[in-house]
Amino acid sequence: MQVVHFVTFYAPLWGAILFNGFTYFQVIQMLNNATRMAVGMSERSYQSDARVDMKALNRWGYYPLILIGSWAFGTINRIHDFIEPGQKIFWLSVLDVGTAALMGLFNSIAYGLNSSVRRAICERLELLLPDRFQRYLPYATKFRGQQQE
């Protein structure tokens, strides 16, 4: 039963992770080369726009890392269960379940936590936190200055 589970779930999963990682690496490398060529052929003002675009593209590379972080302990736990079926390791099982359950959180942080979302969170926190804690927020002084104007 464990072999079937490993072959039908974990082998395709790691194949997809490797394929995604390789593909993202190739695409980002190709886009970096194309951007360098375009910057060389055009004026300098394009270079700042290219950096912003590449920052967004580099975020794609987080997806394979999120998959690795979410499924590494599950894979290790299944391999251990296959090798020693009667010996369960509690902390490994906790990490297996915990990291797999956090995959949605990792995805939301990687893709949803952009500068406008961070700014909105800081604005809401300013309303909730007392004044003595607001100085620790990264956008707090900027928003206070805007509110006073």
Side-chain angles (χ1 to χ4, degrees):
M1 182 66 175
Q2 290 175 352
V3 173
V4 171
H5 183 68
F6 194 81
V7 168
T8 59
F9 181 75
Y10 287 99
L13 172 73
W14 284 100
I17 291 170
L18 290 173
F19 177 77
N20 284 341
F22 178 75
T23 303
Y24 286 143
F25 177 75
Q26 292 292 336
V27 168
I28 288 171
Q29 189 177 24
M30 183 187 66
L31 290 173
N32 278 333
N33 291 338
T35 302
R36 272 191 242 119
M37 286 175 42
V39 167
M41 293 170 28
S42 68
E43 67 274 357
R44 290 283 180 184
S45 64
Y46 178 76
Q47 191 170 3
S48 62
D49 295 338
R51 285 187 189 143
V52 172
D53 292 340
M54 289 312 296
K55 185 177 179 184
L57 290 174
N58 285 335
R59 194 177 310 161
W60 287 356
Y62 293 140
Y63 185 64
L65 294 176
I66 290 169
L67 286 173
I68 290 168
S70 297
W71 294 106
F73 291 111
T75 305
I76 293 168
N77 196 17
R78 295 306 172 273
I79 291 170
H80 177 267
D81 288 348
F82 180 72
I83 294 170
E84 294 185 31
Q87 299 286 333
K88 299 282 184 187
I89 300 175
F90 177 73
W91 62 267
L92 188 58
S93 297
V94 169
L95 288 173
D96 172 10
V97 172
T99 55
L102 291 175
M103 187 167 66
L105 175 65
F106 296 154
N107 281 326
S108 68
I109 289 170
Y111 302 114
L113 199 60
N114 56 28
S115 60
S116 61
V117 172
R118 287 192 302 268
R119 190 172 26 257
I121 289 171
C122 285
E123 287 174 358
R124 301 309 185 282
L125 286 175
E126 275 189 354
L127 297 174
L128 298 174
L129 292 176
D131 288 337
R132 65 179 178 210
F133 295 117
Q134 288 182 8
R135 66 177 172 217
Y136 298 111
L137 296 174
Y139 296 105
T141 57
K142 187 186 334 181
F143 291 126
R144 261 190 240 119
Q146 289 175 354
Q147 289 172 352
Q148 290 172 356
E149 295 174 356

